[in-house]
Amino acid sequence: MKIDVLSLFPAMFQGIFGESILKKACEKQAVEYNVVNFREHADNKHGQVDDYPYGGGAGMVLKPQPIFDAVDSLKKGNDTQPRVILMCPQGERYTQAKAEELAREEHLIFICGHYEGYDERIRKHVVTDEISIGDYVLTGGELGAMVVIDSVVRLLPGVLGNEDSPILDSFSSGLLEHPHYTRPADFRGMKVPVELISGNHRLIEEWRDRESLRRTFERRPDLLDNHSLSDKQKQWIEEWEKSR
């Protein structure tokens, strides 16, 4: 996968691309990163990329020309059409399903804005996706882009050591992930559930299924609205509701 990022502050990405899983993914040649300061594409001697909004109002708006030209330069010579992602609080709320969708692409371009907003022609004629990582406003799109990139890259084949890891993550199954325990089995009187140390794989899987559902029921019941439940899972939920 090729990932291009358009940002006025490219140095912000040096740390995240040079550490942990994102660095390993690059070393394994699963992904190639490229960060572009789109100010370099401004068509004026001062490198100005923003201007006052028509009709008045607070703040400045990113001009279309630098973004259009920067994206055109990144598309040049490519056989495939990239997904062009605008990080924006007005975009669709980001989910694991969206991460899995983007992980199937060959080329992603992220646009990280600042100031009051974007010229609407950028949205209508350049962008394929608008993404928000939550119902709050950040100073710029960089931190949001980092979140999306991290969640996508870890899904690429061969990036994680255990190929089952992304499958078992919270939200991948539609539910939150079950609790985890490691050694010692008894720490300060706090014991690991007996099912996990029983050696019985059927009991272990049932415990994980039940605790994954319980955690979702307690913390994110909204996720259950569109989740298909087995008869056993419905029975567990009925028991928990009665005990409330």
Side-chain angles (χ1 to χ4, degrees):
M1 173 182 283
K2 183 177 181 182
I3 295 178
D4 292 304
V5 181
L6 300 183
S7 169
L8 295 175
F9 303 96
M12 291 180 66
F13 291 87
Q14 292 177 2
I16 187 172
F17 288 159
E19 299 289 344
S20 190
I21 295 298
L22 295 186
K23 178 183 178 182
K24 292 179 180 178
C26 186
E27 292 174 343
K28 293 179 178 180
Q29 298 183 337
V31 64
E32 174 188 343
Y33 308 115
N34 176 44
V35 186
V36 175
N37 188 336
F38 60 85
R39 192 181 299 278
E40 298 172 0
H41 290 270
D43 62 358
N44 59 86
K45 64 180 181 180
H46 300 294
Q48 183 179 355
V49 296
D50 62 321
D51 212 331
Y52 294 103
Y54 280 118
M60 304 288 278
V61 176
L62 284 173
K63 300 168 64 174
Q65 178 273 316
I67 299 292
F68 271 71
D69 286 0
V71 172
D72 286 345
S73 70
L74 294 173
K75 288 182 175 180
K76 194 174 298 182
N78 288 346
D79 295 330
T80 58
Q81 286 297 313
R83 294 280 283 271
V84 183
I85 301 162
L86 190 73
M87 301 308 303
C88 172
Q90 300 173 25
E92 66 174 291
R93 186 181 293 187
Y94 193 55
T95 64
Q96 184 66 22
K98 189 70 172 183
E100 293 168 359
E101 175 189 330
L102 294 177
R104 295 190 288 269
E105 298 291 332
E106 295 182 16
H107 188 189
L108 302 177
I109 299 176
F110 289 84
I111 302 176
C112 305
H114 276 260
Y115 313 115
E116 184 63 24
Y118 307 92
D119 185 289
E120 190 66 17
R121 289 164 290 190
I122 297 172
R123 299 179 190 274
K124 290 186 175 181
H125 301 287
V126 176
V127 170
T128 61
D129 302 79
E130 294 185 42
I131 290 178
S132 166
I133 62 168
D135 295 340
Y136 48 87
V137 179
L138 298 170
T139 304
E142 283 79 9
L143 294 177
M146 292 176 193
V147 169
V148 176
I149 291 169
D150 182 276
S151 65
V152 168
V153 169
R154 65 189 304 278
L155 295 175
L156 300 180
V159 169
L160 296 181
N162 187 335
E163 293 302 316
D164 290 335
S165 292
I167 299 173
L168 299 175
D169 285 337
S170 290
F171 304 111
S172 291
S173 66
L175 302 176
L176 300 183
E177 195 172 6
H178 57 76
H180 293 278
Y181 293 88
T182 187
R183 290 179 287 186
D186 187 337
F187 176 68
R188 298 183 180 180
M190 297 175 284
K191 298 181 180 180
V192 172
V194 294
E195 292 90 342
L196 297 181
I197 55 178
S198 67
N200 186 320
H201 293 292
R202 184 188 62 79
L203 284 179
I204 292 172
E205 288 306 312
E206 183 176 277
W207 181 90
R208 287 176 172 170
D209 183 31
R210 184 178 68 250
E211 294 308 311
S212 173
L213 183 65
R214 186 200 301 272
R215 180 156 286 185
T216 307
F217 173 75
E218 294 174 346
R219 302 186 182 190
R220 288 293 305 276
D222 57 294
L223 295 176
L224 299 176
D225 292 342
N226 299 313
H227 190 79
S228 179
L229 298 172
S230 67
D231 291 339
K232 186 68 173 179
Q233 289 175 320
K234 292 177 182 177
Q235 181 182 337
W236 288 334
I237 289 178
E238 288 177 4
E239 293 173 358
W240 298 329
E241 287 178 335
K242 289 178 182 178
S243 64
R244 279 185 164 182

